[in-house]
Amino acid sequence: MSRRGSILPLIAAVLSSGNGAPTEPDWDTLGRSWWSHVQVLADDGMEGRETGSPGYARAADYVVQQFRAAGLQPAGVDGYFQPMDFLVTQLDPVRSSLELVRGQVVRPVALGDEVCHMVSSASVEQFDAAAEFVGYGLKVPDLHYDDLAGIDLRGKIAVLVSGGPSDMPSPLKAHFQSPQVRCDTLREAGAIGAVRIPNPTIPELPWPRLASGLLMPRMELRDVGPGGYHPLPVTVIFNPESAEMLFEDSGHSLKEVLAGLGTTRPLPRFPLAVRIRGRVGFSRGTARCHNVVGLLPGSDPKLRNEYVVVSAHLDHLGIGTPVNGDPVYHGAIDNASGVASILEIARAIHDSRSTPRRSIVFLAVTGEEKFLLGSEYFAAHPTVPGPLVANINIDGVWSMFPLRALEVLGVEESTLGDDIRALAAETGVEIHTAYEPDRVLFIRSDQYNFIKRGVPALFPGIGYTRGSPEEKLAHEWTRVRYHSPADDAKQPVEPSAAARFNDLQRKLILKIADSPERPRWKPESFFNRFAR
Ligand SMILES: [Zn+2]
């Protein structure tokens, strides 16, 4: 599939004026070029780019073509591709059910509307277990905080509300709620499963969209490697609107529990009066898919053996439950936009004939929507020989209003934060930390797999001033378009904002690649513990 539009306006956009003075880049033209990639990748023909699908393969071919045009060398194991294998588990709702049992009383719970099974390679077909409410279910040794202290969870199902006390630092809250740490902690405490009640105070996917997402195939890496993610045999997500029924006769109510949200105190913990009984129908299979890896070799004889990774996830949700008659989950902003940004950054570096000292890896990953699988695989099996020294990850370029601010996750954690602050200051752009720390977005995109291996990382995005009309627009976008077919290339955008964003990231990447010193974690950063 060829790119729309001609290359000529681009060249015009980056050339300086005739008198030799540098001119302001033509942001509109650059923005349209960025958006043209989004239009290709979010097209119906890409079928939502689900991991392992023909649509994803077509999108990956487009990325290869663009990498080649930007002068990047193939740096996968098969040309530009890094293939990997997945285990696939597909829920069969017809053969599934869930009941709450109290003595002789059996209360069926409506699958889809009230509750959802989340299947995995560890799923069991039947379970029947006592349940215990464990508050946030967090165990954070750093803070001597332990919701599981003194509770016997052996053979039981832990029922918890996502989130954490308001004064718990966001990186800790994020790390200890990651599925891997969460499952390991509950398993060590003896639990066979978890029922998660999404925190109703955190702006998230509306329930119907969350529920339909859980009907999509669940994928896991076949080769998880040491320290990989091992799910629990039972995982259930309960609609917060319906979850009161779990608390009947326990002497407590969900309402009372939720009143404790937003405070610094742990939530109460107590045994529930109901047993949870389930049947889970599922089928198992396998799939294969690939990351796309392009390399700009560094110019310095020594530093070229160190690699700066610029990543964006190429996959999205594929074809699913239709919304307003559209079954294609186009993933225009999530994350055709981020891929478009790394393509534009690679091309701009190429066109400007920059010769960065360190090598730069441009990485379009698969399996992000299946919980960060492609980046996990790359971080565990890098296709380049030297150390990875930084990761800049772009996921969702919200180009809906002029660029005045950035939201930068991880900005306080490493020297990369100082670099981006300095560049933003030069252009008068404000820097914000996570707007919604409780959404734990720092562990919800691909940078997290680099962080866990000690690589300093940033997740920058277009931001807004708190309380501004732009903030309203952003919330509205999450409510209406996030993980919905409405995240398509027909939505209103202001591409020039993305062009400015891309330019700032390009400068950041070159600054990192040229700096005599490697980036490093701040000594006081929680993530410093992962550094080797
Ligand atoms: Zn997504």
Side-chain angles (χ1 to χ4, degrees):
M1 193 167 300
S2 71
R3 250 207 30 228
R4 288 159 203 202
S6 145
I7 192 85
L8 283 175
L10 278 183
I11 293 169
V14 294
L15 284 183
S16 56
S17 69
N19 60 17
T23 53
E24 177 82 348
D26 179 350
W27 300 119
D28 286 330
T29 303
L30 291 168
R32 277 198 298 277
S33 173
W34 167 79
W35 188 244
S36 73
H37 300 299
V38 178
Q39 287 173 314
V40 172
L41 296 170
D43 189 84
D44 280 351
M46 298 295 182
E47 298 174 331
R49 308 186 305 279
E50 185 174 25
T51 300
S53 71
Y56 178 91
R58 283 192 287 277
D61 289 344
Y62 177 78
V63 172
V64 166
Q65 177 198 319
Q66 296 299 318
F67 275 3
R68 202 175 273 137
L72 301 181
Q73 298 180 0
V77 293
D78 172 16
Y80 289 93
F81 291 160
Q82 180 187 34
M84 69 203 82
D85 291 301
F86 299 100
L87 302 174
V88 184
T89 313
Q90 174 70 59
L91 178 74
D92 177 1
V94 176
R95 292 189 290 128
S96 304
S97 61
L98 192 103
E99 293 160 341
L100 302 184
V101 183
R102 191 163 34 87
Q104 306 296 4
V105 186
V106 177
R107 175 172 190 165
V109 189
L111 278 190
D113 288 339
E114 296 177 324
V115 77
C116 289
H117 290 295
M118 186 170 157
V119 290
S120 72
S121 61
S123 285
V124 289
E125 287 173 325
Q126 298 197 17
F127 59 88
D128 179 357
E132 184 104 13
F133 183 69
V134 296
Y136 297 116
L138 285 175
K139 183 173 177 176
V140 184
D142 305 66
L143 303 176
H144 308 290
Y145 179 98
D146 189 356
D147 283 325
L148 308 182
I151 297 183
D152 181 6
L153 279 176
R154 278 174 298 175
K156 293 185 192 166
I157 294 175
V159 177
L160 55 92
V161 177
S162 47
S166 59
D167 59 347
M168 186 177 285
S170 152
L172 270 77
K173 221 186 285 189
H175 176 73
F176 287 98
Q177 284 189 79
S178 69
Q180 182 185 337
V181 177
R182 170 90 86 198
C183 286
D184 289 348
T185 307
L186 291 175
R187 186 184 297 105
E188 274 161 31
I192 61 154
V195 171
R196 184 168 68 82
I197 304 170
N199 186 322
T201 66
I202 301 174
E204 267 302 339
L205 280 180
W207 177 262
R209 230 180 289 156
L210 195 157
S212 70
L214 291 172
L215 294 174
M216 290 172 170
R218 169 70 184 269
M219 291 188 186
E220 294 158 75
L221 284 177
R222 169 170 272 180
D223 170 16
V224 289
Y229 170 36
H230 298 280
L232 292 167
V234 176
T235 307
V236 170
I237 318 285
F238 227 102
N239 185 343
E241 302 273 317
S242 317
E244 190 65 77
M245 64 175 88
L246 283 164
F247 293 79
E248 256 166 44
D249 287 341
S250 68
H252 300 264
S253 69
L254 176 63
K255 199 162 173 251
E256 158 209 329
V257 165
L258 297 184
L261 296 180
T263 72
T264 57
R265 288 182 304 281
L267 297 179
R269 305 164 304 144
F270 45 85
L272 296 173
V274 293
R275 293 178 69 81
I276 304 177
R277 191 157 83 187
R279 274 186 325 128
V280 191
F282 54 82
S283 56
R284 296 195 197 281
T286 57
R288 198 167 161 80
C289 196
H290 42 275
N291 294 331
V292 190
V293 198
L295 177 70
L296 176 62
S299 58
D300 183 277
K302 258 172 98 173
L303 293 181
R304 68 182 309 165
N305 300 314
E306 298 183 359
Y307 296 82
V308 177
V309 181
V310 181
S311 58
H313 76 87
L314 176 60
D315 68 301
H316 192 57
L317 301 170
I319 292 181
T321 311
V323 177
N324 297 328
D326 187 357
V328 180
Y329 286 66
H330 302 87
I333 299 303
D334 182 13
N335 182 35
S337 68
V339 174
S341 285
I342 71 169
L343 297 179
E344 287 292 290
I345 292 165
R347 187 193 48 72
I349 292 176
H350 180 254
D351 289 356
S352 66
R353 300 200 165 80
S354 305
T355 52
R357 300 170 70 197
R358 287 190 178 80
S359 298
I360 304 176
V361 174
F362 289 86
L363 176 66
V365 295
T366 187
E368 192 273 352
E369 303 286 7
K370 312 291 184 188
F371 212 79
L372 317 183
L373 300 180
S375 55
E376 182 174 354
Y377 193 80
F378 181 86
H381 310 279
T383 56
V384 290
L388 312 178
V389 298
N391 172 232
I392 303 301
N393 183 52
I394 304 180
D395 184 2
V397 182
W398 281 5
S399 201
M400 298 179 290
F401 35 76
L403 182 72
R404 294 193 197 95
L406 295 177
E407 180 191 28
V408 185
L409 304 189
V411 70
E412 277 152 348
E413 310 298 333
S414 74
T415 56
L416 297 172
D418 306 330
D419 293 336
I420 197 166
R421 274 188 199 284
L423 288 167
E426 283 171 22
T427 42
V429 170
E430 293 171 25
I431 297 272
H432 295 267
T433 56
Y435 294 122
E436 293 154 350
D438 283 344
R439 283 184 76 193
V440 295
L441 296 174
F442 202 44
I443 64 156
R444 282 174 45 178
S445 190
D446 295 299
Q447 73 283 344
Y448 200 59
N449 284 312
F450 296 97
I451 292 169
K452 282 194 298 187
R453 286 180 168 76
V455 181
L458 283 186
F459 174 10
I462 294 180
Y464 46 79
T465 306
R466 279 176 219 265
S468 64
E470 285 82 9
E471 177 173 23
K472 272 213 184 80
L473 263 177
H475 286 177
E476 188 63 8
W477 186 90
T478 302
R479 201 178 61 75
V480 177
R481 298 192 193 266
Y482 179 58
H483 281 205
S484 154
D487 179 14
D488 61 17
K490 284 178 278 195
Q491 65 191 291
V493 283
E494 183 157 326
S496 65
R500 287 172 190 269
F501 172 83
N502 296 341
D503 193 56
L504 218 152
Q505 301 314 319
R506 177 187 61 83
K507 289 180 181 148
L508 173 69
I509 292 155
L510 290 177
K511 185 169 179 169
I512 300 164
D514 284 332
S515 162
E517 302 258 341
R518 276 191 202 186
R520 35 176 218 288
W521 294 102
K522 298 281 170 81
E524 67 278 14
S525 168
F526 166 77
F527 299 102
N528 193 29
R529 72 189 59 197
F530 302 117
R532 48 211 89 171

